[in-house]
Amino acid sequence: MGFFSAVKKFFTGGSSAEEKKQEHLEEVKAEAADSADEPAEAEEAPEEAADEPESASAQPEALAEAPAEVEAEPAAPAQPALSATAVPVEKPTAAPAPAADPEEEALALALRQAEPKLSAWLSVVLKDVEEADDLLWKRLGFLLRALETPEAEARSFIDDFRGWLERMEYRWLNDFRSELQYRLAIALDMEDEEDERDRLFSKLQAGLARTTERFGQGLKALFSGHTELTPAFWDEMEELFIMADMGAEPTFALVKKLKERASAAGVTTPDGLMPILEEEVEAIFKTPRRIAAVNAPEVVLMVGVNGVGKTTTIAKLAYRARMQGKKVLIAAADTFRAAAVEQLEVWAQRIGADFHSKGMNADPAAVAFEAMDKALKGGYDIIFIDTAGRLHTKSNLMDELHKIRMVVERKHAGAPHRTILVIDATTGQNALQQTKMFKDTSGVNEIILTKLDGTAKGGVALAVASQFELPITFIGLGEKMEDLRPFDPHDFARALLGKGKE
Ligand SMILES: Nc1nc2c(ncn2[C@@H]2O[C@H](COP(=O)(O)OP(=O)(O)O)[C@@H](O)[C@H]2O)c(=O)[nH]1
Ligand SMILES: [Mg+2]
């Protein structure tokens, strides 16, 4: 949707003139609040609304036009009242139009006064909203109208979100506010906006707080405790990285590199070293991009030991794919426990993906075979295959995964396109053994690191990234759908080192 930039221009266009009206806005707001208590007054709307907003008194010409239009067409008063506030803007186009409702007029004014950021706009329209009720839908409709969203798209956004809330059984705003912002950002093409990136960074920081506490604070103490890059400094640094679960060899390699770079650059103090450290940590997380040429349906095979978060992560990835308008199939090839099949089915229903299973104890390769058939015939864009992670015998599990791979490949050349290993950050060094095992035996080409929230062992990301040449593509920062986030080496390095946002 390209209307965001237009929207931004629209909202920022009249800002300086509007600043002067800040006080006035407060009055209008107060009045709106008052009249909300007195519905009788509010109902007398048309004429009252037309000459009531003193805001318009700043622009008598605009006001003068209003009453005539009121008679002719009840929806019209909106235009003059709003154009009065958007002083130098070329044309307020189909701007927020509802001046007949004093509350909405106050909201429109507040939106124009707000910072041109989705989070700020949401704060304005969600004022006094506490739960998913009519007020929420009204306000959301208003916001989308204000953002010039085509009516059909706005309606389908609201219907979708409403359906999702019901399926998820969310009621209170606090439980879904962040999700709402996330959806709006994606729908309005604003995921790359600074606002959304800030939010992501804050989330990353919060998620990594315990890791940072241990690692970042130690680093701070190390850097402030030395004035020169002495052997003691380097020893302490090694210890710090090893304690953060980075593993001995990668730590030695990193410190060696840092020493070399420091000496080449003539850096002799910890302060001078810091930017180099940041770069090197970021470099550890950077792996060359693979060519992502995919012949649809894209086949994603999810592997990893029990309990790491495979099934939930499939749900989260499938959800992202759904939000991008893809047709999604999920196959339940973890047939070991009935609960696993049911859990996946519930997720599929919630996110609007199709689901294929043969129940508990079915042959996982047979499930994959049938699901591939369905995906190919049904014109799916992407299929996720959930697998079991039990390790009663390792070779047993690996054989099973191998069989699934063979079936999938035979059905669809080039598949599986992605074999994602899910590892649980809280398991620290175990995560490394798992990575080695799955990489050696099941063609893993991507890693998702889950449960980074609330663990002090987030440093394991460094170990995984430096010991295996596998990209970390997403990280799990919590249990909600939106808590799976694309992995950003730069931001992650900064958060890990306890740095703030740039
Ligand atoms: N805190 C947190 N919990 C997670 C995350 N990812 C998954 N979980 C939880 O981990 C548990 C096991 O997840 P599940 O998907 O069933 O693991 P599986 O056995 O690998 O399929 C569930 O309770 C999930 O909600 C995450 O990123 N953060
Ligand atoms: Mg599972």
Side-chain angles (χ1 to χ4, degrees):
M1 272 172 253
F3 51 87
F4 171 62
S5 40
V7 169
K8 208 164 175 177
K9 208 168 106 211
F10 173 66
F11 275 93
T12 46
S15 64
S16 62
E18 284 175 19
E19 268 161 33
K20 293 179 209 141
K21 293 185 184 145
Q22 177 66 45
E23 279 175 30
H24 187 69
L25 169 72
E26 298 305 324
E27 284 170 36
V28 175
K29 264 189 189 161
E31 276 177 30
D34 285 346
S35 60
D37 295 331
E38 297 160 301
E41 242 187 72
E43 268 164 28
E44 290 172 8
E47 282 121 276
E48 281 244 3
D51 48 42
E52 183 221 316
E54 295 93 344
S55 64
S57 65
Q59 293 242 327
E61 328 81 62
L63 181 63
E65 280 168 34
E69 284 189 36
V70 169
E71 322 268 88
E73 198 200 312
Q79 292 298 65
L82 281 163
S83 56
T85 66
V87 188
V89 171
E90 318 84 65
K91 185 167 75 87
T93 62
D101 178 341
E103 193 207 355
E104 290 209 341
E105 187 187 345
L107 281 176
L109 286 169
L111 274 184
R112 286 162 179 277
Q113 303 272 347
E115 261 188 282
K117 300 205 297 193
L118 188 54
S119 57
W121 297 338
L122 260 186
S123 299
V124 170
V125 298
L126 294 180
K127 189 171 170 285
D128 300 327
V129 174
E130 282 177 3
E131 59 182 298
D133 57 7
D134 288 346
L135 184 62
L136 171 72
W137 308 122
K138 188 172 162 225
R139 295 285 187 80
L140 213 50
F142 172 79
L143 177 67
L144 289 167
R145 239 181 5 258
L147 293 178
E148 299 178 343
T149 312
E151 201 185 319
E153 280 176 35
R155 202 173 320 120
S156 102
F157 179 91
I158 290 179
D159 288 350
D160 269 8
F161 188 60
R162 203 171 175 150
W164 185 81
L165 283 187
E166 275 161 22
R167 290 194 300 276
M168 299 296 284
E169 295 172 10
Y170 282 141
R171 173 176 169 197
W172 302 106
L173 178 66
N174 281 343
D175 294 332
F176 63 76
R177 183 192 170 115
S178 170
E179 168 69 30
L180 175 61
Q181 182 171 338
Y182 174 61
R183 277 184 172 233
L184 280 168
I186 290 182
L188 299 171
D189 234 357
M190 289 168 70
E191 209 187 8
D192 280 342
E193 288 298 314
E194 199 175 323
D195 190 24
E196 193 57 16
R197 285 205 308 272
D198 284 356
R199 213 161 76 99
L200 210 146
F201 191 80
S202 310
K203 190 156 187 98
L204 188 60
Q205 260 183 333
L208 284 178
R210 287 195 55 213
T211 298
T212 308
E213 206 173 291
R214 187 153 109 183
F215 182 65
Q217 297 304 326
L219 206 64
K220 225 180 237 168
L222 170 66
F223 274 67
S224 59
H226 292 262
T227 48
E228 294 282 315
L229 299 177
T230 58
F233 173 89
W234 294 115
D235 284 350
E236 277 177 47
M237 181 181 263
E238 275 175 3
E239 204 173 303
L240 198 72
F241 275 97
I242 290 172
M243 293 292 287
D245 284 306
M246 182 164 164
E249 269 175 52
T251 298
F252 297 147
L254 172 69
V255 170
K256 184 163 172 272
K257 187 92 184 269
L258 290 173
K259 280 181 183 167
E260 284 166 9
R261 281 195 61 185
S263 109
V267 168
T268 58
T269 63
D271 276 355
L273 183 69
M274 192 41 115
I276 301 179
L277 175 63
E278 251 180 79
E279 275 176 32
E280 287 302 324
V281 169
E282 185 181 335
I284 288 174
F285 291 126
K286 278 192 175 154
T287 30
R289 288 180 71 88
R290 288 186 305 130
I291 291 177
V294 166
N295 46 332
E298 178 174 11
V299 180
V300 181
L301 187 65
M302 214 67 164
V303 302
V305 306
N306 249 357
V308 289
K310 287 183 299 300
T311 303
T312 358
T313 302
I314 283 189
K316 291 168 175 171
L317 286 173
Y319 175 68
R320 286 183 72 90
R322 287 284 304 125
M323 303 269 292
Q324 290 160 351
K326 292 185 180 162
K327 186 171 177 187
V328 179
L329 182 65
I330 297 178
D334 175 0
T335 59
F336 193 59
R337 290 171 306 137
V341 179
E342 283 161 21
Q343 180 197 10
L344 196 58
E345 184 165 19
V346 169
W347 277 120
Q349 277 166 4
R350 283 177 167 180
I351 59 187
D354 290 329
F355 177 72
H356 187 79
S357 106
K358 284 168 72 74
M360 192 182 126
N361 293 331
D363 173 12
V367 176
F369 182 90
E370 289 183 10
M372 282 305 300
D373 235 13
K374 181 168 174 168
L376 285 159
K377 289 185 183 139
Y380 285 84
D381 298 301
I382 188 163
I383 164 172
F384 294 93
I385 303 176
D386 195 15
T387 66
R390 69 192 183 286
L391 280 172
H392 57 195
T393 76
K394 196 165 81 182
S395 65
N396 195 296
L397 172 66
M398 294 306 151
D399 285 352
E400 184 174 301
L401 291 176
H402 182 69
K403 257 168 68 189
I404 295 176
R405 291 183 68 84
M406 298 296 287
V407 160
V408 165
E409 195 186 353
R410 223 174 296 139
K411 276 266 163 204
H412 189 40
H417 304 89
R418 295 161 65 189
T419 301
I420 303 179
L421 172 65
V422 180
I423 51 183
D424 172 344
T426 62
T427 59
Q429 291 291 306
N430 273 342
L432 297 177
Q433 281 143 30
Q434 289 164 24
T435 309
K436 183 162 172 27
M437 179 177 82
F438 280 94
K439 190 188 176 201
D440 291 347
T441 56
S442 27
V444 169
N445 46 25
E446 188 176 323
I447 285 179
I448 291 181
L449 193 57
T450 57
K451 310 190 196 179
L452 273 169
D453 51 308
T455 177
K457 296 183 177 170
V460 75
L462 268 173
V464 170
S466 50
Q467 292 183 29
F468 307 94
E469 279 191 0
L470 291 171
I472 299 172
T473 48
F474 288 88
I475 48 177
L477 292 169
E479 298 190 65
K480 287 189 179 161
M481 290 285 104
E482 54 164 84
D483 293 335
L484 185 77
R485 291 301 193 153
F487 178 77
D488 178 316
H490 181 70
D491 283 357
F492 194 87
R494 286 188 65 84
L496 194 65
L497 296 176
K499 300 267 157 185
K501 221 195 149 287
E502 290 151 298

